[in-house]
Amino acid sequence: MGIKTALPRYELYLYTAVLAVALIWAGSWIFEASSENANRKTFKESVKPGWHYFGRKMDAADFEWVMWFTTFRNHILFALVGHVIFAKIFSLVAPKVRGCEYWYKWISLVFGVYGGLAVLVTMGWTFLALVLSHCIILYSVAIFKSKWMCFAAGLCTLASIKLEPFNSWQEALVTGSFNLQDILFYGGCGFSIMRCMSFALENCEKKEGNYTFSDLVKYNFYLPFFFFGPIMTFDRFHAQANNTQLIRKEREMWNITTKALLHLGGILVVDVFFHYLYILTIPSDMKLVAKLSDWSLAGLAYSNLVYDWVKAAVMFGVINTVAMLDHLDPPQPPKCITMLYVFAETHFDRGINDWLCKYVYDYIGGNHDQIFKELLATICTFAVTTLWLGPCELVYIWSFFNCFGLNFELWVAKFFSLPPLSTIESAMGEAMSRRIRGLFNAANFWAIVLYNVLSLNSLEFAKMVGRRLIFKGFPLTTLSVLLVTYCGVQLVKERERQQALLEDPEPVKPVDGGKEKAE
C-alpha cells in the first residue's frame, strides 16, 4: 500500500465526526470526575488553590511542570535570558575588537566558559569538579579511538550516578541544600555523561588526529542544554558551532518568534486544562479510578500521554528557542502521541532518541529488516535506556514491553509479506488495504498507550486500564474504543498522505498517450 492512497472525502468527514464526539464524551466524564472530587482527601497533596474567582482548583501533581512554570519560573528565565543577553553583547562587541577577525571561532568556547561559570555559581565548585572529572575520564579514553572502550567507560560512568552506593557518594560531594539540587545534580551529570560519550564516539570516527579538550568543554557546558537537555550529538553541534556563515535566513526570526508564541500558548492551554481536568491526580487514587466508566479510563490514559508530549514539546521548545538564537539547529520536539501508531516512531525526547539511534539502534540493526539483528539492536537500545532512566521494576517492565512491541511489529510485517497474504493484499484495492492496515494500527496504538502509561502513572493504573478495556469491557467497550482509534488512525494517515504529496507531487498524466491536444 502506498502512502499516497486516498479515501473518499465523505468517509474522512465521518471519521472526523466520530473522533470529535468520542473525545468530547470522554472529556465530559473526566471533567465530571474532577469537579465532583476536587475536595477529596486524597487530592489535598496535588490539587492546589487555583482560580479563586472561578472557584477552580488546579492539578499540581507534576512537579516538573510546576517547577518550570510556577515555582522556579523566574530562576530559569533569569538563566536563559542572561545567556541570550550575554550572547548578544558578545556578538556585537567581539567583531569590532582588534584581533578578533576570527571571533566566530571563539564564540562557542566563550559560551562554554560562561556555562561553566553559571554551573559553578549555581551548584558550587565540587559539582563542577565532579562533572569535569567525568569529562577528563571519557576524554582520556576517547584518545585511544576504541568504540568498545568508549562505550564501556561511558556506561560505567553513567551507572555510577544511577546505582547505589556510587550515586549517593557522588551526590554527597555537592555541598549546600536547596529545592532544585537533586534535579540539577542528576540532570546535569546524566546529560553531561551522554554528551561526553557522543564526543568520545565521534572522536573514534575522526580519521586524523583528535578533537581537543576545549571542543568537549564548549560542547558539554553550553548552558541552555546543560541541565535539562535536549542532547545534540557532538558531530552536529561541532559543525554548527564552527559555522562561519552566521547569517539569518529569510523570515528566520519571524519563525523563531512564532514558535516562542506557540510555546507560550501551549503553557496557557495546559494551565486552563489543569483547572478543569485533573488528569494527573485522578490516576493516583485507585479507589476513585475503580468507580470511573470505561470511557473515562480510556480518556485518562490517552490524555496523560498527550500531556507528556505537550510538556516535552514546550520545555524543549523553550530551550530550543534560545539555541536557535545562537544559530543552532537543535533536535525537534517529539512526534505527538496522537500521530503515532507504530512503536518505531514512539519517543518523548527526540535528543535521546537520536543519540540511541545513531550509536546503538541503527549501528547494530542496520536497515532493520533482519529479525535477529533487530532483536539484538532493540535489546541493546533498551538496556542503555534502562540505565539512563534509572534501573527499577517499573523501568524494567516498560523497557521489556516496548522492546517486544518493536520486534513484534517486524514479525507481523514479515508474516504478512509472505504468500498467500501478500497476494491477497495486492489483489484488493489500495483503499481497502489502507482500511485493513488501519485496524491493525488501531490495536497497535493502544498497545503503545498501555505500555507507556505505566511509566507516567503507575503499574496499578496501567493494569486497571488494560483489564477494563480488554477483558471486563469486552466486547462493547473494546470494539467501540478500537473503532474510535481506527478513525483517528485514518485521519493521521490522511495527514501523512497530504504531506507526502506536498513533498513529492504526483506527475500530471499526459493527454492522448503523451501528446498534448492541439488547440
Side-chain angles (χ1 to χ4, degrees):
M1 184 205 75
I3 193 174
K4 298 179 182 179
T5 302
L7 292 179
R9 191 175 297 274
Y10 67 84
E11 185 175 341
L12 295 173
Y13 288 155
L14 177 62
Y15 293 156
T16 304
V18 170
L19 182 63
V21 171
L23 290 176
I24 294 173
W25 178 254
S28 67
W29 281 96
I30 300 174
F31 172 74
E32 182 179 347
S34 301
S35 300
E36 292 179 354
N37 296 279
N39 297 316
R40 195 177 177 91
K41 288 184 179 180
T42 54
F43 282 17
K44 286 185 177 180
E45 293 294 327
S46 53
V47 176
K48 303 296 183 181
W51 294 341
H52 175 72
Y53 293 104
F54 294 95
R56 302 300 307 183
K57 293 185 176 181
M58 178 182 178
D59 190 344
D62 188 353
F63 170 77
E64 198 171 17
W65 182 271
V66 173
M67 174 195 74
W68 262 80
F69 302 111
T70 305
T71 312
F72 296 100
R73 174 186 58 205
N74 295 336
H75 298 77
I76 295 172
L77 282 177
F78 177 78
L80 294 178
V81 171
H83 173 87
V84 171
I85 294 174
F86 173 81
K88 186 62 178 178
I89 293 175
F90 184 82
S91 63
L92 291 175
V93 173
K96 299 177 182 179
V97 178
R98 193 174 206 179
C100 285
E101 292 83 358
Y102 301 101
W103 65 275
Y104 52 80
K105 293 183 178 180
W106 296 94
I107 189 169
S108 57
L109 179 60
V110 173
F111 285 171
V113 173
Y114 173 81
L117 291 175
V119 172
L120 174 64
V121 172
T122 305
M123 297 292 289
W125 70 268
T126 51
F127 176 80
L128 181 62
L130 179 64
V131 173
L132 284 173
S133 69
H134 294 159
C135 295
I136 292 171
I137 291 171
L138 289 170
Y139 180 78
S140 301
V141 175
I143 294 175
F144 294 97
K145 293 198 171 186
S146 172
K147 286 189 175 181
W148 73 266
M149 287 180 62
C150 293
F151 246 109
L155 293 179
C156 288
T157 309
L158 184 61
S160 71
I161 67 162
K162 297 293 183 179
L163 301 176
E164 291 286 356
F166 310 105
N167 58 343
S168 298
W169 176 76
Q170 292 184 82
E171 188 177 5
L173 295 175
V174 181
T175 57
S177 178
F178 54 96
N179 291 335
L180 275 180
Q181 181 170 305
D182 288 346
I183 293 177
L184 296 183
F185 175 84
Y186 287 106
C189 286
F191 282 113
S192 176
I193 292 169
M194 297 296 276
R195 284 189 291 266
C196 289
M197 287 180 68
S198 176
F199 171 87
L201 293 169
E202 292 298 333
N203 191 68
C204 294
E205 297 291 335
K206 188 175 175 61
K207 295 181 180 180
E208 297 181 0
N210 297 286
Y211 291 110
T212 64
F213 188 73
S214 64
D215 290 328
L216 175 57
V217 168
K218 63 186 181 184
Y219 167 55
N220 190 45
F221 285 95
Y222 179 67
L223 185 60
F225 294 163
F226 185 82
F227 287 111
F228 303 109
I231 291 178
M232 279 183 71
T233 55
F234 176 75
D235 56 328
R236 291 184 57 199
F237 181 89
H238 185 71
Q240 295 174 26
N242 290 280
N243 179 24
T244 60
Q245 303 297 325
L246 300 182
I247 301 175
R248 296 287 181 192
K249 298 178 182 178
E250 185 179 357
R251 296 179 63 83
E252 183 176 355
M253 285 304 301
W254 169 262
N255 293 333
I256 293 175
T257 305
T258 302
K259 289 180 180 179
L261 292 175
L262 286 175
H263 299 144
L264 178 60
I267 295 170
L268 296 176
V269 169
V270 170
D271 190 67
V272 171
F273 270 81
F274 275 172
H275 282 84
Y276 290 93
L277 304 174
Y278 301 156
I279 59 173
L280 303 179
T281 297
I282 292 176
S284 64
D285 187 346
M286 294 306 297
K287 291 183 179 180
L288 175 60
V289 169
K291 299 177 183 178
L292 298 179
S293 67
D294 295 344
W295 276 101
S296 296
L297 287 181
L300 276 174
Y302 169 74
S303 59
N304 268 264
L305 263 72
V306 171
Y307 162 71
D308 199 63
W309 169 80
V310 172
K311 179 176 73 171
V314 170
M315 289 171 56
F316 289 139
V318 171
I319 295 173
N320 288 351
T321 300
V322 177
M324 286 187 289
L325 292 174
D326 292 335
H327 299 272
L328 295 179
D329 182 20
Q332 297 301 306
K335 192 173 183 179
C336 180
I337 184 64
T338 304
M339 301 295 174
L340 297 175
Y341 49 84
V342 292
F343 278 89
E345 297 181 356
T346 305
H347 57 269
F348 294 93
D349 183 340
R350 196 181 292 269
I352 290 292
N353 182 75
D354 292 346
W355 193 100
L356 290 169
C357 287
K358 180 177 178 62
Y359 300 120
V360 185
Y361 185 56
D362 292 340
Y363 182 77
I364 299 175
N367 54 8
H368 305 291
D369 63 349
Q370 298 181 24
I371 292 177
F372 177 75
K373 288 184 68 175
E374 179 70 3
L375 179 62
L376 180 61
T378 51
I379 290 175
C380 293
T381 300
F382 281 101
V384 176
T385 306
T386 300
L387 183 60
W388 162 252
L389 295 175
C392 64
E393 181 185 8
L394 200 61
V395 174
Y396 293 147
I397 297 172
W398 174 85
S399 294
F400 171 80
F401 280 112
N402 279 274
C403 182
F404 170 77
L406 265 174
N407 285 279
F408 188 71
E409 284 180 347
L410 178 61
W411 302 341
V412 172
K414 289 286 187 182
F415 178 73
F416 278 94
S417 66
L418 300 173
L421 296 175
S422 60
T423 307
I424 295 173
E425 184 180 16
S426 61
M428 67 177 65
E430 288 190 340
M432 183 56 66
S433 174
R434 170 175 161 174
R435 295 186 183 100
I436 293 174
R437 284 174 177 261
L439 291 173
F440 287 97
N441 294 144
N444 206 42
F445 176 86
W446 274 101
I448 294 173
V449 171
L450 292 176
Y451 292 172
N452 286 279
V453 77
L454 63 88
S455 66
L456 302 179
N457 299 111
S458 65
L459 180 59
E460 291 73 19
F461 178 70
K463 288 164 64 177
M464 173 74 75
V465 175
R467 186 164 55 247
R468 292 276 292 275
L469 296 186
I470 300 174
F471 299 107
K472 288 189 176 181
F474 186 84
L476 182 60
T477 300
T478 306
L479 295 180
S480 58
V481 169
L482 283 178
L483 173 63
V484 172
T485 309
Y486 167 82
C487 295
V489 167
Q490 291 297 357
L491 293 176
V492 173
K493 285 179 175 286
E494 180 62 21
R495 184 178 181 276
E496 292 175 347
R497 185 188 75 86
Q498 295 176 359
Q499 187 65 33
L501 289 175
L502 289 175
E503 295 174 356
D504 183 23
E506 293 182 343
V508 179
K509 295 182 179 180
V511 182
D512 292 341
K515 298 180 180 179
E516 296 183 359
K517 289 184 178 180
E519 294 294 338

